[in-house]
Amino acid sequence: MLILTGFEPFAHFKENPSWEVVNALQSDYVMAIKMPVSYEKVKKLTKEVLEKYQPEAIISFGLADGRAQISIEMLAVNMMDSTTPDNDGFKPKRLKIFEDGKATYITTLPIFEILDEWHKNYIPSYISYHAGTYVCNALFYSFLYHAEKMGLDIPIGFIHLPSSEKMVIGKKNRPYVEIKTMEKAAKIAIEITSRHLSSP
Ligand code: PCA
């Protein structure tokens, strides 16, 4: 089984396209899980998801408001630092996610292959070289950290989505990508990732 994760809304946002997209893609083979925007909770939930479902691959999604294109992340960094509080009101300043964790993990998703296929389909997208220091990065890092500790060698990656069309109505000059295009991008990411699995 392949697991997709999206996030609940956070900060001033009323919705989160990451959940909308992954929720629409559930099937017999693909399961979607909504994650809380909480540093502490995602550190634990990522371990629970790996233990409970033994997934063949994990592709996580989050909102990166202000980015104009879909971005697939290369690195997760061992750092929590934000001026925006998470949904528990936690606002860490230069803290490690895991004291014993290495500085960075590199994605195990075939990101260049995914990007090439996105571009062939004229999906505006690029590689982002790290996932920031907010909750999305903490989730991405935690999945890779726990998978390594458990000896699980599976594709794990993170995709940041821009705002969707309905989030920018009435807001002049705000970048967005249509939700249908983001769904198509997610489908391509699933397809390419599945090709790399022994028993898709
Ligand atoms: N985006 C935030 C956290 C949750 C989400 O959807 C981020 O980029 O860290």
Side-chain angles (χ1 to χ4, degrees):
M1 186 207 305
L2 196 142
I3 287 189
L4 304 181
T5 73
F7 277 106
E8 64 183 3
F10 64 102
H12 60 282
F13 302 107
K14 300 223 163 21
E15 52 219 313
N16 194 322
S18 66
W19 174 247
E20 215 178 313
V21 166
V22 302
N23 192 29
L25 296 179
Q26 302 212 57
S27 69
D28 290 347
Y29 168 59
V30 176
M31 180 176 157
I33 300 176
K34 193 195 268 185
M35 288 290 185
V37 181
S38 154
Y39 288 103
E40 279 316 305
K41 289 183 187 130
V42 301
K43 280 171 66 174
K44 294 193 187 85
L45 283 170
T46 45
K47 184 161 184 258
E48 284 171 24
V49 165
L50 289 168
E51 284 170 351
K52 187 166 173 194
Y53 301 107
Q54 305 275 319
E56 289 167 88
I58 299 174
I59 312 177
S60 298
F61 295 78
L63 165 67
D65 176 60
R67 288 194 191 172
Q69 302 194 3
I70 296 167
S71 45
I72 189 157
E73 300 292 345
M74 179 173 275
L75 298 173
V77 298
N78 192 9
M79 172 69 59
M80 304 188 282
D81 188 84
S82 61
T83 47
T84 305
D86 71 5
N87 287 354
D88 295 335
F90 183 44
K91 216 168 46 172
K93 194 165 164 45
R94 300 175 199 153
L95 297 178
K96 284 185 176 170
I97 303 169
F98 290 102
E99 271 308 319
D100 66 346
K102 56 189 188 189
T104 62
Y105 277 103
I106 189 158
T107 185
T108 48
L109 274 192
I111 58 171
F112 294 109
E113 233 179 285
I114 294 170
L115 186 79
D116 288 348
E117 197 59 30
W118 281 349
H119 285 176
K120 268 189 218 154
N121 284 275
Y122 301 114
I123 292 174
S125 50
Y126 60 95
I127 305 278
S128 160
Y129 287 95
H130 84 87
T133 54
Y134 193 45
V135 182
C136 287
N137 171 71
L139 171 118
F140 181 28
Y141 186 94
S142 300
F143 268 134
L144 288 159
Y145 171 90
H146 292 307
E148 185 180 72
K149 288 231 175 247
M150 293 162 68
L152 272 181
D153 185 16
I154 57 169
I156 294 176
F158 197 94
I159 295 171
H160 260 123
L161 302 174
S163 288
S164 62
E165 62 272 34
K166 67 179 167 200
M167 296 171 72
V168 299
I169 296 300
K171 294 181 185 155
K172 237 166 123 178
N173 300 325
R174 295 295 300 165
Y176 72 95
V177 168
E178 284 182 3
I179 208 90
K180 285 285 162 212
T181 306
M182 301 204 263
E183 271 179 36
K184 188 171 172 192
K187 272 190 200 152
I188 289 172
I190 293 170
E191 220 174 276
I192 304 267
T193 303
S194 302
R195 279 187 213 156
H196 285 255
L197 304 175
S198 38
S199 58

